[in-house]
Amino acid sequence: ALLKDVKVGQRIAMEFSDTEMKFGEVEICFTRKRDPKKWAWHVGFDDGETYELDPDEMIDALGTYRRCYDAEMSEPNRSTRVAAIVTAFEIRKQLVMAMMPDDYKKYFLQIGFAKWAGSYQGHLKYFPVLFLGPYDISEGPLRQKMYNEIKKAQKTGKRMPRLVYWYGEKIE
């Protein structure tokens, strides 16, 4: 792959040691400089960590991902494995969704207003939000935290936590 063709969303893989492989995707491309040796790419890994790659690292990361992808696609039992993964995901999703009351789930993907945490009594501010469920966000640390908070709320009898996307907020 040519470095000029790398776009936001491009999947990459990096080996950090003999035993640690991380997968992620390009989040920001710093490729406006004339000299390609000065280009850089901000990558977010699937585990939540971030890293900035220089051109040599990006070439290696693209090659590593391509090798992993090709190996996975040529695996003889791939379709059976993928079907098992999808089935396991669907079962877990059903179990997680069943843990939540219907009056809680009905807000998922609904627009509403929420009080800004920095507001004080004399100056309440409400902003538009989109209420999200655990499957409205990518798998990763945030979804895992939401699972944990839901379980904790059920055990303690406290109010279920809400995950919201604040409209107008910059995604970082």
Side-chain angles (χ1 to χ4, degrees):
L2 299 173
L3 292 178
K4 68 179 181 60
D5 296 329
V6 174
K7 305 280 187 252
V8 169
Q10 171 78 46
R11 295 291 293 166
I12 61 101
M14 289 185 72
E15 295 177 86
F16 285 88
S17 68
D18 289 343
T19 59
E20 185 178 23
M21 171 89 69
K22 289 189 176 192
F23 292 86
E25 67 180 45
V26 174
E27 294 180 339
I28 304 171
C29 299
F30 301 103
T31 55
R32 291 193 179 195
K33 294 182 180 176
R34 285 192 139 171
D35 184 359
K37 293 177 185 171
K38 295 182 180 177
W39 289 358
W41 295 265
H42 180 84
V43 171
F45 290 101
D46 297 344
D47 66 0
E49 293 196 23
T50 61
Y51 192 82
E52 193 163 298
L53 280 67
D54 65 30
D56 291 335
E57 291 170 318
M58 179 54 78
I59 289 169
D60 288 345
L62 292 169
T64 301
Y65 182 79
R66 174 50 60 189
R67 284 190 301 280
C68 292
Y69 179 85
D70 289 345
E72 183 178 328
M73 290 299 140
S74 64
E75 185 181 314
N77 296 326
R78 181 180 179 278
S79 59
T80 304
R81 254 191 40 202
V82 169
I85 291 168
V86 169
T87 300
F89 172 82
E90 290 298 329
I91 290 169
R92 178 175 172 137
K93 180 179 177 182
Q94 288 176 359
L95 291 171
V96 169
M97 295 301 281
M99 291 173 26
M100 296 177 268
D102 288 339
D103 65 332
Y104 178 73
K105 292 186 285 190
K106 73 180 180 185
Y107 285 97
F108 294 169
L109 297 179
Q110 297 298 310
I111 296 172
F113 286 86
K115 185 169 51 170
W116 186 255
S119 300
Y120 55 91
Q121 193 61 28
H123 189 63
L124 293 178
K125 290 185 178 180
Y126 289 85
F127 292 98
V129 296
L130 180 64
F131 293 99
L132 302 173
Y135 294 95
D136 299 322
I137 57 175
S138 300
E139 181 67 48
L142 185 57
R143 186 188 292 172
Q144 189 59 49
K145 184 175 181 178
M146 190 171 185
Y147 288 149
N148 296 342
E149 293 295 321
I150 289 168
K151 287 179 190 174
K152 191 165 92 177
Q154 287 181 322
K155 286 180 184 176
T156 61
K158 292 187 178 179
R159 198 170 136 191
M160 299 280 272
R162 298 252 187 233
L163 179 63
V164 299
Y165 171 78
W166 294 89
Y167 279 101
E169 286 294 298
K170 183 178 176 187
I171 297 176
E172 294 185 28

